[in-house]
Each structure stands twice: as structure tokens, then as C-alpha cells.
Amino acid sequence: MATSSRPAWMERPSTPGLILKGAILTAVVLLVAYPFVGVIGTSLSAESDIARAGGFVLVPSAPSLAAYSTIFSGGVVTRALLVSVLVTAVGTLASVLATIGMAYGLSRREVTGSRWILMVALLTMLFNPGLIANFLLVKQVGLIDSFGALILPSLVSAFNLVVLRSFFMGLPRELLESARIDGAGDLGILVRIVLPLSKAVLAVISLFYAVGYWNAFFNALLYLDDSDKFPLPLILRTFVLQGRSMETVTAAEAPAPVQAVQMAVLVVAIVPILLVYPFLQRYFTKGVLTGAVKG
């Protein structure tokens, strides 16, 4: 009887094994989807549904958009959403460009002091100067109560820098040297050769930066005084802590219950980043692995 020469992990699982794997994956998906469905369901619910379900509704009996109408009618959420989009777009672009420039320079062995500069960058992953030192630095450079305070203090991530530098170092040296022989300078090599070969890892670090800027609220809480400059995460925090925030709800009673308003703001904060992720997901594994193989 002929035996198969394929490795064990390439063999097709037995039927009981497939059923067990399917059951486990289904259970995991249900556990992950449960809170999301509950958040959306509660945001569409009336006061009676929320009271009957104890504050967390999976399927509302009479779905309503009253909570969304409430949060957008006051202008606070709309303004905060625009601020978050602006900060995320500008911050991600600036961070990616800064990380590319620094990673490419540190990946060139002929650059004097590149190893020491890399060590300084890595030290930031281990040691934090502290809250007071950060605040005094931001204040000293005049960034208090400005959008720059939301971007510049976290412009370059040491982790993303290491991943991108490792990827650049893994590119064939012969390819870069041939371009230099043809007369290309460092900028030409970076733009015409290195970056087109780095789409996967660039997509990954762009996603990391975008998620970080979109979800960050501590810098805004620490450095911003003008409520008109508050990003969406800070408004969401205010809704969660106070139930209703600032001018969003007027003195008159809101048509939606407090829990529905809170969940509606949460949905507004989650959906944009969820819409971006599927377009970059196919690059995620490839980008992280190829950027972390060689140090």
C-alpha cells in the first residue's frame, strides 16, 4: 500500500476534526461579535427596550435613529469627527514620511553613527521620561492647545521604525548598488526602488499609525484647552463619563435615552477605522513578517 509523502500538516483533517475546528471558530466569532452587535442594537433602541434588557440590547423591538440624530444635532460630535479625521490623515502621513526617512538612513551601514541613533530610538521603548517632562517639553515649544500637540509628541514609533528598517535592510544590496551605478542618488533610490518594493510593510505601519491617532485621547486631554479642538475619542470619554456632553443635548430633553446616545457615539468612533482595515488586511501578515525577519 502506497504511503503519502506529504508532511502531516498538509494532510486533510478527518471529518470529526473539521467539525471540531468549525465549532471552535464559530464559538470564537460569536464571542467577538456579541459586544459589537450589542453596541449597535443598544444605539438603535428605545428607553423601554433598554430598561427591559438591563442596558444592553441585542435586537431592538422598534429600531430608531434618534440617538444618532441627537449626537449630530448639537454639532459637537460632527466637529470632533472632522478633527479626528484631520489629525489622523495629517498625522499618519507625517509619521510615515518621518519613519521612512529615519528607517532608510539607519538601514544604510555607511551612515556614520546609525547604530548609536538606533540604540537611542530603541531606548524609548524601554524608558519613558514621564508625564511632567513630556508636558513641560510640549509647553516649552509652544504646542499647548494646538493640533501639533496631537501629532508631534508621537510622530515616530520605535517599533514601526525597527520593522521598516529591518525590511529595508533585507532588500538586495545588488539592486540598490546597480541603481547607484546608473547615476541614481539616495533620494532616487528610495523613491523609485525601495518604496515600490515596500508597499506591504508601508501599509502595515500606516495602519498602526492611523489606529493610534484615531484612538488617542490622552494627548488631547493633557494638551488641549479649547473644546472646539477636541477629537472624537475625548468626546466619547465625556459621553461615557457624563452621559451627555456639552452642547450636544440642549436643556430640553433628548429624544433618545442616555445609553443609546453613549453607544451611538461609540459606533461613530469605531466604524471609520473598521472600514479602512479590510483594505489593508491582506498586507498585514506579509508586512509584519517580512519586516521582522532580519534585524
Side-chain angles (χ1 to χ4, degrees), residues 10-267:
M10 295 182 63
E11 296 292 339
R12 181 177 175 83
S14 61
T15 300
L18 289 175
I19 295 175
L20 179 61
K21 288 183 178 180
I24 294 175
L25 289 177
T26 301
V28 171
V29 169
L30 292 177
L31 288 175
V32 172
Y34 175 79
F36 288 99
V37 175
V39 167
I40 296 174
T42 305
S43 70
L44 299 173
S45 299
E47 184 71 50
S48 57
D49 289 333
I50 295 176
R52 185 165 51 251
F56 195 75
V57 182
L58 289 177
V59 182
S61 60
S64 171
L65 296 176
Y68 295 93
S69 176
T70 299
I71 63 174
F72 285 114
S73 62
V76 173
V77 174
T78 303
R79 184 170 58 247
L81 182 60
L82 293 177
V83 170
S84 289
V85 170
L86 176 65
V87 170
T88 300
V90 175
T92 300
L93 179 61
S95 292
V96 170
L97 292 177
T99 306
I100 289 174
M102 192 171 179
Y104 182 68
L106 294 179
S107 68
R108 314 304 299 166
R109 300 183 186 277
E110 61 271 17
V111 175
T112 304
S114 60
R115 187 171 296 275
W116 289 104
I117 296 174
L118 178 62
M119 291 299 298
V120 171
L122 292 178
L123 284 176
T124 63
M125 300 178 64
L126 304 176
F127 302 100
N128 192 307
L131 180 62
I132 297 177
N134 282 331
F135 181 83
L136 292 177
L137 176 61
V138 172
K139 182 179 180 180
Q140 186 68 29
V141 298
L143 293 178
I144 294 295
D145 203 24
S146 69
F147 291 126
L150 305 181
I151 298 175
L152 294 180
S154 53
L155 185 64
V156 176
S157 164
F159 173 80
N160 293 337
L161 175 65
V162 171
V163 170
L164 193 58
R165 171 185 175 272
S166 299
F167 182 85
F168 287 165
M169 293 185 67
L171 295 176
R173 303 282 298 180
E174 297 81 5
L175 181 62
L176 306 183
E177 293 301 329
S178 63
R180 191 176 298 277
I181 292 174
D182 290 337
D186 286 326
L187 182 60
I189 294 175
L190 175 63
V191 174
R192 298 180 181 179
I193 297 178
V194 175
L195 294 185
L197 295 175
S198 311
K199 292 180 180 179
V201 69
L202 290 178
V204 170
I205 68 169
S206 297
L207 179 62
F208 285 163
Y209 278 126
V211 172
Y213 281 118
W214 183 264
N215 291 330
F217 80 95
F218 190 70
N219 282 356
L221 181 65
L222 192 62
Y223 304 129
L224 296 184
D225 298 323
D226 187 358
S227 60
D228 290 341
K229 298 178 181 178
F230 284 178
L232 191 58
L234 192 55
I235 297 299
L236 174 60
R237 173 183 176 274
T238 306
F239 267 96
V240 172
L241 293 180
Q242 300 179 5
R244 295 168 185 174
S245 171
M246 304 178 203
E247 304 93 4
T248 303
V249 180
T250 60
E253 277 299 311
V258 173
Q259 293 90 336
V261 172
Q262 291 174 337
M263 296 302 181
V265 178
L266 184 57
V267 171

